[in-house]
Amino acid sequence: MNSAGFVVAKDSKHPDEAFKFIQFALSEAGQSKLAQLGFAIPVLKTVAESDAYLKQPGELDQRVFLDSVAFARMKPVFKGYEEWAGVVGDGLIPVFDGEAELDATLDEVVMSADEVLAKNK
């Protein structure tokens, strides 16, 4: 799982206004609006279990994301992670598209991913 967060830059020209926005974004009203926009799973349980989140437009049952929190883990964080994740994710696209075989593709992807890890020790 991944998170979506709000921050205020230390050199912000409007730190008070930025902080007020963050306060709103974390409030029930703000979380409801962000849920309706499909931004992320709300951080407030009351909003996550409300119609604002669960009854978003479309066919997707949002409850699947709430249920997955029980077994979700934070994504790894290590030097070079973004590059490594790109190599792995992009490298597997041909498999997902049915254009390549998994085993042969994994051989290439693992080699490229290992190179990224080696250069980011």
Side-chain angles (χ1 to χ4, degrees):
M1 96 178 177
N2 197 9
S3 64
F6 296 100
V7 298
V8 177
K10 71 177 182 176
D11 296 331
S12 173
K13 293 180 181 174
H14 303 282
D16 295 334
E17 292 84 352
F19 186 67
K20 285 179 184 175
F21 170 76
I22 291 173
Q23 287 177 308
F24 169 74
L26 296 176
S27 71
E28 190 164 341
Q31 286 290 291
S32 294
K33 186 62 177 172
L34 291 171
Q36 291 165 351
L37 294 171
F39 183 72
I41 299 172
V43 297
L44 299 175
K45 188 174 182 179
T46 56
V47 178
E49 294 177 343
S50 74
D51 287 350
Y53 178 69
L54 294 174
K55 300 212 174 180
Q56 294 180 47
E59 307 265 331
L60 186 60
D61 180 0
Q62 300 296 324
R63 183 156 295 283
V64 70
F65 298 109
L66 297 181
D67 294 345
S68 70
V69 171
F71 55 84
R73 301 287 181 263
M74 291 295 292
K75 77 176 189 174
V77 178
F78 52 84
K79 186 177 175 187
Y81 173 78
E82 294 301 327
E83 182 182 1
W84 177 87
V87 165
V88 173
D90 293 345
L92 291 173
I93 289 173
V95 174
F96 301 144
D97 290 344
E99 299 169 356
E101 294 296 320
L102 178 61
D103 289 340
T105 304
L106 277 178
D107 289 342
E108 293 176 30
V109 169
V110 167
M111 186 171 57
S112 297
D114 284 349
E115 288 172 9
V116 171
L117 294 175
K119 79 177 187 181
N120 283 293
K121 286 185 176 182

